Amino acid sequence: MHKFLRTVGFSLYQKKHDIEKLLQDLTEQAKSSQIWKLQLDGETNLCRVRAEMAPDMGIDIYGEMDEFGTIKPEYYVPYLLSHDMSSNADCSIQRHTEKETYAGLLDEYRVGISLIYYLENLMEYQEKVLNKESTETRCVNLIGLSVSGKILLPIKKNINQKETAKVTSKERNNLLEAAKNGDEDAMEMLTLEDIDLYSQISRRVAKEDIYSIIDTSFMPSGIECDQYAVIGDILSINKKRNKITEEEVYDMKLECNDMIFHVAINAKDLVGEPEAGRRFKGQIWMIGTAKFKA
């Protein structure tokens, strides 16, 4: 069972046979417009059935179509679509070892790490590869799926503090870009900044709560490379309802480390009332839609 199935409103589907029946029913009820078939070679094909449970939210079911036109589900992935650009950094895409799925790697200096995500539009990528077309990315729209999260109050800032934070962030991003290109002075300045920052936090944490010091954060979590612990400012909220289970899902647009992405979470798994201006804290599985250059 996929851990994040509950994120798109299927929290009651916890038994293997119940999930298998759901996938079979969704596959059999699928219209031709929901099916995308790719012929990988003379004998092998890959089909994707997109079962939409709410606008831009649902389950992608993958399998092979036999000579009678029947698709046998092999694996599935919950999805949420975003229409907001998250990053236009350099991106490389590689296939997973186990099955026909792909991971993307972004050299995103704003979060200070190489950001890895699960490729949502893998069929589009595969089609380009088979047709020997360019797979160079223009940008990536990122989405985080979460099974546990909390709402935090925002840090109160005046206009001057907000403007100063923006300038500081822009200067740091410029230094990170320069350091990435081999500028030794930029590397030294970043090292000194980190030492000063550590010193400031060490003094403040003795008297203040950690969440009043850290505004937003983006950190790898656990041993799986595409899962992260995030704290981000909520910019907007869209509530979706699964048409089969009637469960509510929050689609939150977040700003974290100057990067914008969406996070989906089942209303049952969220502690607190989400509102624009507040913060979200939780662990996410990062998926992304790569937009390819024409």
Side-chain angles (χ1 to χ4, degrees):
M1 187 189 77
H2 202 290
K3 177 182 176 182
F4 294 92
L5 185 61
R6 64 185 297 113
T7 308
V8 294
F10 288 104
S11 65
L12 299 178
Y13 286 77
Q14 298 180 4
K15 300 280 179 67
K16 186 177 180 180
H17 66 269
D18 290 336
I19 296 172
E20 287 176 348
K21 186 177 185 307
L22 172 68
L23 298 180
Q24 194 62 50
D25 290 345
L26 292 174
T27 303
E28 291 173 357
Q29 296 165 12
K31 299 175 183 177
S32 58
S33 59
Q34 297 173 263
I35 301 172
W36 189 339
K37 180 182 176 183
L38 275 180
Q39 197 68 36
L40 301 180
D41 55 44
E43 297 181 353
T44 311
N45 64 68
L46 178 67
C47 290
R48 184 197 74 185
V49 176
R50 172 151 285 182
E52 190 174 75
M53 297 297 109
D56 294 332
M57 184 188 83
I59 307 174
D60 281 338
I61 305 166
Y62 295 91
E64 190 172 348
M65 183 182 288
D66 61 22
E67 64 270 23
F68 305 108
T70 303
I71 301 172
K72 184 180 179 182
E74 294 178 8
Y75 61 95
Y76 64 97
V77 182
Y79 75 88
L80 180 80
L81 301 181
S82 166
H83 302 286
D84 294 298
M85 185 191 79
S86 300
S87 174
N88 57 5
D90 293 336
C91 177
S92 60
I93 297 172
Q94 293 188 8
R95 185 186 185 276
H96 288 130
T97 305
E98 182 187 1
K99 50 183 176 280
E100 202 71 33
T101 57
Y102 293 81
L105 179 114
L106 285 168
D107 291 328
E108 185 52 75
Y109 56 84
R110 287 178 294 179
V111 295
I113 57 174
S114 293
L115 194 155
I116 298 172
Y117 64 92
Y118 177 95
L119 185 66
E120 173 271 325
N121 56 330
L122 63 93
M123 297 289 281
E124 182 183 357
Y125 173 76
Q126 281 184 311
E127 188 174 58
K128 285 185 172 292
V129 171
L130 289 171
N131 295 334
K132 295 181 170 57
E133 298 175 10
S134 171
T135 55
E136 188 178 355
T137 59
R138 172 170 48 86
C139 65
V140 177
N141 300 352
L142 294 173
I143 308 100
L145 303 185
S146 177
V147 294
S148 177
K150 297 178 181 178
I151 299 300
L152 305 178
L153 292 174
I155 296 176
K156 188 176 180 180
K157 294 180 180 178
N158 57 38
I159 296 174
N160 289 336
Q161 287 174 318
K162 289 180 181 178
E163 290 299 321
T164 302
K166 286 181 181 179
V167 172
T168 303
S169 178
K170 187 175 180 180
E171 290 175 350
R172 182 173 175 80
N173 288 342
N174 291 336
L175 284 173
L176 286 166
E177 183 69 19
K180 179 183 170 184
N181 295 326
D183 188 327
E184 292 185 3
D185 291 337
M187 294 179 194
E188 188 176 343
M189 288 182 69
L190 284 169
T191 303
L192 292 172
E193 279 187 10
D194 287 344
I195 292 170
D196 290 341
L197 186 62
Y198 178 79
S199 178
Q200 289 176 31
I201 291 173
S202 298
R203 289 196 304 269
R204 290 182 59 184
V205 79
K207 299 179 181 178
E208 299 177 49
D209 183 83
I210 189 69
Y211 297 121
S212 67
I213 301 171
I214 298 173
D215 196 350
T216 64
S217 72
F218 193 101
M219 293 178 61
S221 177
I223 60 173
E224 293 190 51
C225 53
D226 52 8
Q227 295 196 24
Y228 303 91
V230 301
I231 300 173
D233 295 320
I234 301 173
L235 301 180
S236 62
I237 301 164
N238 184 15
K239 191 181 286 187
K240 301 177 187 285
R241 187 182 294 274
N242 185 304
K243 66 181 181 182
I244 292 179
T245 64
E246 295 295 315
E247 292 184 21
E248 290 186 338
V249 174
Y250 288 112
D251 174 7
M252 296 179 286
K253 182 178 176 181
L254 300 188
E255 183 178 10
C256 179
N257 288 34
D258 295 326
M259 188 172 68
I260 290 174
F261 59 92
H262 285 245
V263 167
I265 185 169
N266 195 308
K268 295 178 180 179
D269 299 324
L270 185 63
V271 178
E273 188 66 30
E275 283 185 14
R278 294 179 179 178
R279 292 182 293 168
F280 169 82
K281 173 184 177 291
Q283 184 173 332
I284 62 170
W285 174 50
M286 189 66 83
I287 64 176
T289 304
K291 303 293 183 181
F292 301 101
K293 292 183 178 179

PDB file of all heavy atoms in Angstrom, residues 12 19 55 67 97 115 119 138 150 179 193 266 286:
ATOM      1  N   LEU A  12      -9.411   5.436   4.502  1.00  0.00           N
ATOM      2  CA  LEU A  12     -10.095   4.228   4.959  1.00  0.00           C
ATOM      3  C   LEU A  12      -9.635   2.988   4.210  1.00  0.00           C
ATOM      4  O   LEU A  12      -9.944   1.868   4.618  1.00  0.00           O
ATOM      5  CB  LEU A  12     -11.613   4.396   4.798  1.00  0.00           C
ATOM      6  CG  LEU A  12     -12.240   5.554   5.592  1.00  0.00           C
ATOM      7  CD1 LEU A  12     -13.734   5.636   5.303  1.00  0.00           C
ATOM      8  CD2 LEU A  12     -11.998   5.381   7.089  1.00  0.00           C
ATOM      9  N   ILE A  19      -7.764  -2.098  -1.655  1.00  0.00           N
ATOM     10  CA  ILE A  19      -7.068  -1.210  -2.597  1.00  0.00           C
ATOM     11  C   ILE A  19      -7.039  -1.843  -3.986  1.00  0.00           C
ATOM     12  O   ILE A  19      -7.266  -1.147  -4.992  1.00  0.00           O
ATOM     13  CB  ILE A  19      -5.638  -0.918  -2.099  1.00  0.00           C
ATOM     14  CG1 ILE A  19      -5.689  -0.148  -0.776  1.00  0.00           C
ATOM     15  CG2 ILE A  19      -4.865  -0.112  -3.138  1.00  0.00           C
ATOM     16  CD1 ILE A  19      -4.359   0.024  -0.105  1.00  0.00           C
ATOM     17  N   PRO A  55     -10.688  18.118  -8.784  1.00  0.00           N
ATOM     18  CA  PRO A  55      -9.892  18.850  -9.772  1.00  0.00           C
ATOM     19  C   PRO A  55      -8.397  18.828  -9.445  1.00  0.00           C
ATOM     20  O   PRO A  55      -7.996  19.203  -8.342  1.00  0.00           O
ATOM     21  CB  PRO A  55     -10.467  20.273  -9.690  1.00  0.00           C
ATOM     22  CG  PRO A  55     -11.882  20.074  -9.264  1.00  0.00           C
ATOM     23  CD  PRO A  55     -11.849  18.910  -8.315  1.00  0.00           C
ATOM     24  N   GLU A  67      -3.842  -8.011 -25.331  1.00  0.00           N
ATOM     25  CA  GLU A  67      -4.366  -7.952 -26.699  1.00  0.00           C
ATOM     26  C   GLU A  67      -5.876  -7.729 -26.760  1.00  0.00           C
ATOM     27  O   GLU A  67      -6.427  -7.385 -27.807  1.00  0.00           O
ATOM     28  CB  GLU A  67      -3.998  -9.239 -27.455  1.00  0.00           C
ATOM     29  CG  GLU A  67      -4.604 -10.519 -26.901  1.00  0.00           C
ATOM     30  CD  GLU A  67      -3.705 -11.182 -25.851  1.00  0.00           C
ATOM     31  OE1 GLU A  67      -2.868 -10.477 -25.255  1.00  0.00           O
ATOM     32  OE2 GLU A  67      -3.855 -12.392 -25.637  1.00  0.00           O
ATOM     33  N   THR A  97      15.491   2.100 -10.273  1.00  0.00           N
ATOM     34  CA  THR A  97      15.944   0.749 -10.597  1.00  0.00           C
ATOM     35  C   THR A  97      14.796  -0.253 -10.623  1.00  0.00           C
ATOM     36  O   THR A  97      14.725  -1.115 -11.497  1.00  0.00           O
ATOM     37  CB  THR A  97      16.997   0.280  -9.559  1.00  0.00           C
ATOM     38  OG1 THR A  97      18.052   1.236  -9.497  1.00  0.00           O
ATOM     39  CG2 THR A  97      17.565  -1.074  -9.931  1.00  0.00           C
ATOM     40  N   LEU A 115      17.846  19.140  -4.693  1.00  0.00           N
ATOM     41  CA  LEU A 115      16.482  18.742  -4.370  1.00  0.00           C
ATOM     42  C   LEU A 115      16.041  17.604  -5.294  1.00  0.00           C
ATOM     43  O   LEU A 115      16.066  17.738  -6.514  1.00  0.00           O
ATOM     44  CB  LEU A 115      15.558  19.957  -4.517  1.00  0.00           C
ATOM     45  CG  LEU A 115      14.168  19.863  -3.919  1.00  0.00           C
ATOM     46  CD1 LEU A 115      13.635  21.259  -3.605  1.00  0.00           C
ATOM     47  CD2 LEU A 115      13.186  19.164  -4.845  1.00  0.00           C
ATOM     48  N   LEU A 119       9.069  12.161 -10.376  1.00  0.00           N
ATOM     49  CA  LEU A 119       8.526  12.764 -11.593  1.00  0.00           C
ATOM     50  C   LEU A 119       7.088  12.317 -11.817  1.00  0.00           C
ATOM     51  O   LEU A 119       6.806  11.137 -12.039  1.00  0.00           O
ATOM     52  CB  LEU A 119       9.393  12.381 -12.795  1.00  0.00           C
ATOM     53  CG  LEU A 119       9.008  13.037 -14.129  1.00  0.00           C
ATOM     54  CD1 LEU A 119       9.242  14.545 -14.079  1.00  0.00           C
ATOM     55  CD2 LEU A 119       9.792  12.417 -15.278  1.00  0.00           C
ATOM     56  N   ARG A 138      12.324  23.354 -18.790  1.00  0.00           N
ATOM     57  CA  ARG A 138      12.175  24.812 -18.708  1.00  0.00           C
ATOM     58  C   ARG A 138      11.970  25.240 -17.250  1.00  0.00           C
ATOM     59  O   ARG A 138      12.521  26.222 -16.793  1.00  0.00           O
ATOM     60  CB  ARG A 138      10.988  25.238 -19.573  1.00  0.00           C
ATOM     61  CG  ARG A 138      10.569  26.689 -19.473  1.00  0.00           C
ATOM     62  CD  ARG A 138       9.554  27.020 -20.576  1.00  0.00           C
ATOM     63  NE  ARG A 138       8.481  26.039 -20.654  1.00  0.00           N
ATOM     64  CZ  ARG A 138       7.368  26.092 -19.911  1.00  0.00           C
ATOM     65  NH1 ARG A 138       7.185  27.062 -19.038  1.00  0.00           N
ATOM     66  NH2 ARG A 138       6.423  25.173 -20.062  1.00  0.00           N
ATOM     67  N   LYS A 150       1.209  20.195  11.140  1.00  0.00           N
ATOM     68  CA  LYS A 150       0.683  21.112  12.148  1.00  0.00           C
ATOM     69  C   LYS A 150       0.660  22.528  11.585  1.00  0.00           C
ATOM     70  O   LYS A 150       1.451  22.872  10.715  1.00  0.00           O
ATOM     71  CB  LYS A 150       1.559  21.097  13.413  1.00  0.00           C
ATOM     72  CG  LYS A 150       1.613  19.767  14.132  1.00  0.00           C
ATOM     73  CD  LYS A 150       2.545  19.855  15.334  1.00  0.00           C
ATOM     74  CE  LYS A 150       2.631  18.517  16.053  1.00  0.00           C
ATOM     75  NZ  LYS A 150       3.574  18.572  17.205  1.00  0.00           N
ATOM     76  N   ALA A 179      29.418  30.772  -5.320  1.00  0.00           N
ATOM     77  CA  ALA A 179      30.168  29.660  -4.732  1.00  0.00           C
ATOM     78  C   ALA A 179      30.031  28.396  -5.580  1.00  0.00           C
ATOM     79  O   ALA A 179      30.988  27.630  -5.747  1.00  0.00           O
ATOM     80  CB  ALA A 179      29.678  29.396  -3.310  1.00  0.00           C
ATOM     81  N   GLU A 193      29.258  33.681   7.468  1.00  0.00           N
ATOM     82  CA  GLU A 193      27.842  33.934   7.754  1.00  0.00           C
ATOM     83  C   GLU A 193      27.237  32.798   8.569  1.00  0.00           C
ATOM     84  O   GLU A 193      26.467  33.027   9.505  1.00  0.00           O
ATOM     85  CB  GLU A 193      27.053  34.110   6.450  1.00  0.00           C
ATOM     86  CG  GLU A 193      27.154  35.500   5.847  1.00  0.00           C
ATOM     87  CD  GLU A 193      26.228  35.657   4.656  1.00  0.00           C
ATOM     88  OE1 GLU A 193      25.379  34.772   4.422  1.00  0.00           O
ATOM     89  OE2 GLU A 193      26.357  36.674   3.953  1.00  0.00           O
ATOM     90  N   ASN A 266      -4.566  15.410   4.038  1.00  0.00           N
ATOM     91  CA  ASN A 266      -5.921  15.066   4.448  1.00  0.00           C
ATOM     92  C   ASN A 266      -6.292  15.885   5.685  1.00  0.00           C
ATOM     93  O   ASN A 266      -5.471  16.061   6.589  1.00  0.00           O
ATOM     94  CB  ASN A 266      -5.996  13.567   4.767  1.00  0.00           C
ATOM     95  CG  ASN A 266      -7.419  13.044   4.852  1.00  0.00           C
ATOM     96  OD1 ASN A 266      -8.252  13.593   5.575  1.00  0.00           O
ATOM     97  ND2 ASN A 266      -7.694  11.983   4.120  1.00  0.00           N
ATOM     98  N   MET A 286       8.039  14.684  -1.914  1.00  0.00           N
ATOM     99  CA  MET A 286       8.063  15.677  -2.981  1.00  0.00           C
ATOM    100  C   MET A 286       7.885  15.018  -4.345  1.00  0.00           C
ATOM    101  O   MET A 286       8.639  14.125  -4.722  1.00  0.00           O
ATOM    102  CB  MET A 286       9.386  16.456  -2.957  1.00  0.00           C
ATOM    103  CG  MET A 286       9.401  17.653  -3.896  1.00  0.00           C
ATOM    104  SD  MET A 286       8.228  18.937  -3.402  1.00  0.00           S
ATOM    105  CE  MET A 286       9.188  19.807  -2.149  1.00  0.00           C
TER     106      MET A 286
END
